[in-house]
Amino acid sequence: MIKGMKKFLAGMLVAAVAVTAVPAISYAATSPTTSVEPVKQTEVTAEKKNGIEITVNTSTSGKATISEIEPTTKKTVTVASKVTVNGVSYTVNKISANAFENCKKATKVSLPSTITTIGAKAFSGNKTIKTIALTSKNAPTISKTAFKGVNTKKMTITYSSKMSKSEIKELKAALKAAGFKGTVKKAK
C-alpha cells in the first residue's frame, strides 16, 4: 500500500508541475516584444535629434519620410540623416507635404545627404526660410509644387561641393520646374 501511495503521490507531483508550467509558457508567449527590424508605420514620432522632433512614415526597407517637423522656434533646422522609432533606426530619404510649416522662425534648413525626394508642397506654409542647404552629391527629385505658395525670390539653395556638373544641371532644372526663382550656388 505504501508503494502504491508513493506512485500515486509521484504522479500527482508530476501532474502539478506540468499544469503549473503551462501557464508560465503561455505568459511568455504573450509578452510584448520590441522589434529590431524596420516596420511600416504611419505618422509616428521619432526620437528627438538636433533639438527637433519630427513625425515620420517608416517602411520595412528601413527608410523614413518626414511628414511633419513639430512646432519649433529654432532659426536653423538641421534634419538628421537617421531617425529612431521604437529602438529601430531608419534612413531619412524623403520630405513630404507641408513638412516645414511649423518652423515659423526658421531661416535656414539643412537637409541630409540621404534625401532623394522633396515632395509636393514640402515648404508650403513657411514664409521665413531664406536658405536651404542640400548636402548630397546627387540632386534630389523635386516636386513641381514643392515651393507652392512660397516667395522664393529671396531664397538661396546651396549644394554640396561634391555634386558633379551634371547633377548641378539636373538640380537647377528641377528647381526651375518647381517655380524656384531664388539663387542656387555651391556651399562654402
Side-chain angles (χ1 to χ4, degrees), residues 28-157:
T30 61
S31 66
T33 58
T34 303
S35 173
V36 293
E37 296 294 320
V39 294
K40 184 177 180 177
Q41 301 172 86
T42 304
E43 300 297 315
V44 291
T45 303
E47 289 179 14
K48 203 176 225 183
K49 272 202 177 172
N50 300 327
I52 61 169
E53 193 173 287
I54 62 173
T55 302
V56 295
N57 297 325
T58 62
S59 71
T60 56
S61 65
K63 306 289 185 192
T65 300
I66 294 177
S67 61
E68 178 182 12
I69 298 195
E70 298 301 323
T72 182
T73 57
K74 290 184 164 286
K75 295 247 182 218
T76 300
V77 174
T78 301
V79 177
S81 61
K82 293 204 177 271
V83 294
T84 304
V85 177
N86 299 326
V88 180
S89 182
Y90 295 88
T91 301
V92 176
N93 70 328
K94 294 180 183 176
I95 308 289
S96 69
N98 304 309
F100 291 95
E101 76 178 338
N102 290 327
C103 303
K104 301 292 184 193
K105 305 259 181 189
T107 58
K108 181 178 181 180
V109 171
S110 182
L111 299 178
S113 61
T114 55
I115 292 294
T116 59
T117 306
I118 298 174
K121 300 180 184 177
F123 296 99
S124 291
N126 187 300
K127 299 185 187 315
T128 59
I129 296 175
K130 300 293 179 215
T131 305
I132 299 170
L134 301 175
T135 59
S136 175
K137 64 180 184 178
N138 297 316
T141 301
I142 302 170
S143 168
K144 290 182 179 181
T145 60
F147 300 99
K148 186 172 183 156
V150 177
N151 181 0
T152 59
K153 290 178 184 175
K154 294 181 181 178
M155 194 180 282
T156 300
I157 292 185

Side-chain angles (χ1 to χ4, degrees), residues 9-25:
L9 289 174
M12 291 300 285
L13 182 61
V14 169
V17 169
V19 168
T20 306
V22 171
I25 292 170

